[in-house]
């Protein structure tokens, strides 16, 4: 198949999933055209079968705002015509589903070729935060309903979409995935020594530092852990809540034990030196960062929000606690860092879950089957 993938270039799970799907589809013999405002995060170097098309949004003195939806839909029309796309796959509904539906309408109207079918994958905040906002909800709901196929990354997100946006279109749940041949704990003693002595435990958090991630809870849980166990906190990623992390670490007297690493393209070496991963988010439709940690044998302590219980089984492959319950989260963290048998058992269960349920070879065929169903309809 010839697939156009629309995604965000910025840091965030939806872009990562879109690019990993593009690479996996290309490896399976499909032609893949990635359409984005910029070279997406983690696209990396040349990948056979995968071509990147940049969206232009020319400015004009009259406009105070960039006309991104028009530029994106226009690029999709051009790529679809030149490349004969079968599928336009929009990752993150806002505004990608809208641009994809508009592009299909343009191609339908001109009758030059069979217009491609539109598949929209819902990732989380495109529904729960942005899409459900009354300023956008009518157009977001319309664009999802007008898609030929709709997928969501968890059952929880599927339910939230039907509830919050009154979507009528059937939604297939296709979970996020990892390239399990690459995602495994690396031997990285030298890197570990850079951050921690032999007795010091490494606690990690990785995100785009948005308010939904509850960065204050990350630092509060860490401070409670550090009061009992020698530990450092590695914070990877970037976003508006970075100053919150700095401020809270200073207030709690743990600033010297917190390292801000900034945006990182390759997180595998970092996850490979971690002993514990914290994800106390307010909302999380899936929690790709937790899955990445689990694949690297790192036990996760998270909130039981959204789709996280579909990824982590509480007490078996990680620990889940109510949003904001920093006391319970730190107790689980301390237990994991002081009980080697528990740490081993949870880490092994986490790796097993990833390998049994969330590897590319299991999930990518679900997308291919979804595309085939949509093309046949
Ligand atoms: O966390 C974000 O705000 C970014 C957002 C995105 O666009 O990448 O993340 C969402 O999509 C990821 C990939 O499907 C999921 O793993 C994240 O759980 C989800 N984030 C939220 O629901 C908050």
């Amino acid at each position: 198949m010839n697939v156009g993938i629309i995604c965000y270039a910025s840091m965030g799970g939806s872009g990562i999933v879109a690019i990993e799907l593009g690479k996996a589809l290309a490896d399976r013999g499909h032609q893949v055209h990635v359409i984005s405002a910029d070279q997406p995060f983690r696209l990396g170097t040349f990948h056979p079968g995968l071509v990147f098309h940049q969206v232009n949004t020319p400015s004009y003195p009259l406009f105070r705002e960039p006309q991104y939806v028009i530029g994106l839909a226009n690029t999709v029309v051009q790529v679809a015509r030149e490349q004969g796309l079968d599928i336009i796959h929009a990752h993150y509904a806002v505004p990608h589903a809208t641009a994809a539906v508009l592009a299909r309408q343009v191609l339908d109207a001109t009758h030059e070729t069979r217009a491609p079918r539109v598949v929209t994958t819902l990732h989380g905040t495109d529904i729960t935060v942005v899409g459900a906002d009354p300023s956008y909800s009518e157009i977001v709901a319309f664009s999802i309903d007008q898609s030929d196929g709709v997928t969501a990354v968890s059952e929880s997100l599927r339910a939230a979409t039907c509830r919050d946006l009154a979507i009528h279109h059937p939604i297939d749940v296709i979970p996020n995935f990892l390239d399990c041949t690459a995602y495994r704990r690396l031997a990285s003693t030298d890197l570990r020594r850079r951050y921690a002595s032999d007795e010091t435990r490494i606690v990690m958090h990785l995100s785009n530092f948005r308010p939904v991630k509850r960065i204050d809870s990350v630092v509060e849980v860490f401070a409670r852990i550090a009061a009992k166990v020698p530990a450092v906190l590695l914070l990877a990623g970037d976003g508006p809540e970075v100053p919150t992390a700095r401020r809270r670490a200073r207030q709690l007297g743990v600033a010297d034990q917190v390292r801000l690493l900034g945006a990182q393209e390759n997180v595998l070496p970092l996850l490979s030196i971690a002993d514990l991963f914290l994800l106390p988010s307010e909302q999380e439709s899936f929690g790709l960062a937790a899955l990445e940690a689990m694949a690297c044998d790192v036990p996760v302590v998270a909130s039981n929000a959204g789709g996280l219980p579909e990824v982590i089984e509480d007490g078996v492959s990680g620990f889940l606690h109510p949003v904001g319950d920093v006391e319970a989260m730190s107790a689980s963290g301390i237990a994991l860092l002081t009980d080697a048998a528990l740490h081993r058992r949870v880490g092994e269960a986490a790796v097993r879950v990833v390998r049994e349920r969330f590897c590319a070879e299991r999930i990518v065929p679900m997308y291919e089957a979804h595309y085939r169903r949509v093309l046949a309809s």
Side-chain angles (χ1 to χ4, degrees):
M1 283 175 268
N2 205 339
V3 184
I5 289 185
I6 306 174
C7 66
Y8 277 113
S10 56
M11 219 185 323
S14 61
I16 294 170
V17 170
I19 293 306
E20 289 305 318
L21 176 62
K23 288 178 179 172
L25 288 169
D27 292 345
R28 292 166 72 90
H30 303 287
Q31 273 303 316
V32 179
H33 297 272
V34 173
I35 302 167
S36 186
D38 220 330
Q39 163 122 348
F41 190 67
R42 296 206 192 167
L43 181 59
T45 47
F46 171 71
H47 197 98
L50 195 148
V51 180
F52 169 55
H53 304 263
Q54 187 160 16
V55 178
N56 287 317
T57 41
S59 62
Y60 180 67
L62 185 72
F63 304 152
R64 283 194 305 180
E65 313 77 13
Q67 309 293 325
Y68 184 58
V69 179
I70 297 180
L72 174 58
N74 204 75
T75 307
V76 173
V77 169
Q78 287 167 341
V79 173
R81 270 198 195 126
E82 283 159 18
Q83 309 292 338
L85 295 183
D86 301 303
I87 295 284
I88 305 168
H89 190 165
H91 283 266
Y92 205 91
V94 187
H96 299 160
T98 310
V101 165
L102 177 59
R104 184 194 59 198
Q105 209 175 347
V106 172
L107 292 158
D108 253 336
T110 50
H111 297 296
E112 293 156 53
T113 50
R114 181 180 188 252
R117 304 290 90 194
V118 170
V119 172
T120 296
T121 290
L122 311 173
H123 279 274
T125 46
D126 48 352
I127 302 303
T128 55
V129 178
V130 190
D133 187 298
S135 314
Y136 292 139
S137 56
E138 301 287 348
I139 298 303
V140 174
F142 176 81
S143 308
I144 294 170
D145 266 335
Q146 290 294 310
S147 301
D148 300 293
V150 184
T151 77
V153 299
S154 64
E155 185 53 48
S156 148
L157 180 59
R158 190 196 66 72
T161 307
C162 297
R163 185 190 62 228
D164 298 347
L165 287 176
I167 295 298
H168 301 109
H169 203 296
I171 300 174
D172 280 2
V173 173
I174 303 185
N176 288 333
F177 63 92
L178 296 175
D179 172 358
C180 291
T181 58
Y183 256 92
R184 49 184 67 240
R185 195 173 180 95
L186 309 171
S188 40
T189 330
D190 288 348
L191 182 61
R192 195 182 161 95
R193 272 198 212 106
R194 172 178 279 268
Y195 297 107
S197 65
D198 286 348
E199 307 74 48
T200 307
R201 302 294 89 199
I202 296 182
V203 181
M204 191 166 166
H205 171 79
L206 159 69
S207 77
N208 52 13
F209 286 72
R210 308 276 141 187
V212 287
K213 303 293 174 182
R214 290 186 73 108
I215 299 303
D216 49 351
S217 289
V218 173
V219 180
E220 283 163 32
V221 171
F222 171 72
R224 284 171 158 84
I225 292 173
K228 304 275 184 205
V229 185
V232 291
L233 174 64
L234 302 188
L235 295 173
D238 203 359
E241 292 294 296
V242 166
T244 304
R246 276 207 195 89
R247 194 181 55 247
R248 205 69 193 108
R250 267 198 313 273
Q251 287 166 348
L252 296 170
V254 291
D256 288 349
Q257 291 143 272
V258 176
R259 308 286 152 75
L260 285 147
L261 306 178
Q264 296 292 335
E265 184 95 356
N266 182 10
V267 292
L268 195 51
L270 287 168
L271 288 169
S272 297
I273 60 168
D275 299 303
L276 176 67
F277 190 88
L278 301 177
L279 195 63
S281 309
E282 183 84 36
Q283 293 174 19
E284 205 66 68
S285 67
F286 183 89
L288 185 67
L291 192 70
E292 292 179 326
M294 289 163 74
C296 294
D297 205 353
V298 186
V300 177
V301 174
S303 52
N304 57 10
L308 281 167
E310 296 171 51
V311 181
I312 298 167
E313 189 183 346
D314 182 35
V316 178
S317 52
F319 286 95
L320 298 173
H321 297 288
V323 173
D325 192 346
V326 291
E327 201 55 62
M329 289 181 193
S330 44
S332 290
I334 292 163
L336 282 162
L337 295 178
T338 53
D339 180 342
L342 176 70
H343 191 277
R344 199 175 321 108
R345 178 165 58 73
V346 174
E348 283 171 4
V351 170
R352 208 166 37 245
V353 166
V354 175
R355 301 206 174 280
E356 284 172 8
R357 293 176 45 209
F358 299 109
C359 288
E361 56 266 32
R362 179 164 189 272
I363 306 298
V364 175
M366 293 183 177
Y367 278 112
E368 290 176 310
H370 187 87
Y371 294 163
R372 278 195 293 271
R373 275 201 300 282
V374 158
L375 285 170
S377 63

